[in-house]
Amino acid sequence: MSCDFSLAHYRELIRAAREGGYRWAGFDAPPEPGVVILRHDVDLSLAGALAVAELEAEEGAWSTWFLMTRSVFYNLASAEGEATIARLRELGHHVAHHAVWPHVDLDSRFDAVVAWHNPDPEYMRAPIEGAVNVMEAPFFDPEHYRSDSNQHWRNGCPHEQLARGEFDWLQLLTHPEIWAFDGATMRESMESMLDADRAARFEHLRDDRIDLS
Ligand SMILES: [Zn+2]
Ligand SMILES: [Zn+2]
């Protein structure tokens, strides 16, 4: 099994967790032994998010999706944004807020759960009034946390440890764009994402009655 950042290996990762006997959980109750809390920060692409969300649902998994209200890459208030939230809920996922310091824009679209985007250490683990901060106890503990930032697992891809049931519990953060778009490097995955985005934007132009003749 090669630990690349592809949808195929993401599927293997999900299956490994199941093989290890884990069950899925969110941020609505303190983590218990035997749970994997799947967390996704959506930084760049709603289409990438949906590709991973559909795959998880096919595998009988669900996760918590952290969506931005202040992204330069996507608009959650657009028709695409609203459809994405509706589809995530329909698939049984949880929807939470990926906030940009110092703004917490929690509203009825989100569960009261916040993950800061690119946080600085000063506020990363600070309590947030009226919401769970995913990086505070009991949800965060370095021994029970893995993330895939920039196609780099700080402690290696966790699929083998999951399959062997080695984690008591785990918060697993993945960024869907890394997995949903092809590329052997972060640069290549981003090129793939931008190619797909260009095609999508032509559709938006057509929908906007722009003359492309
Ligand atoms: Zn792996
Ligand atoms: Zn982020």
Side-chain angles (χ1 to χ4, degrees), residues 55 68 71 103 116-117 126 151 154 160 201 208:
L55 182 158
M68 302 180 78
S71 169
H103 308 287
W116 292 114
H117 175 61
Q151 295 201 354
R154 213 163 295 162
E160 280 179 23
R201 281 184 179 266
D208 219 40

Side-chain angles (χ1 to χ4, degrees), residues 39 41-43 68 98-99 115-119 175:
R39 165 186 160 203
D41 289 358
V42 181
D43 291 340
M68 302 180 78
H98 199 33
W116 292 114
H117 175 61
N118 293 340
H175 296 80

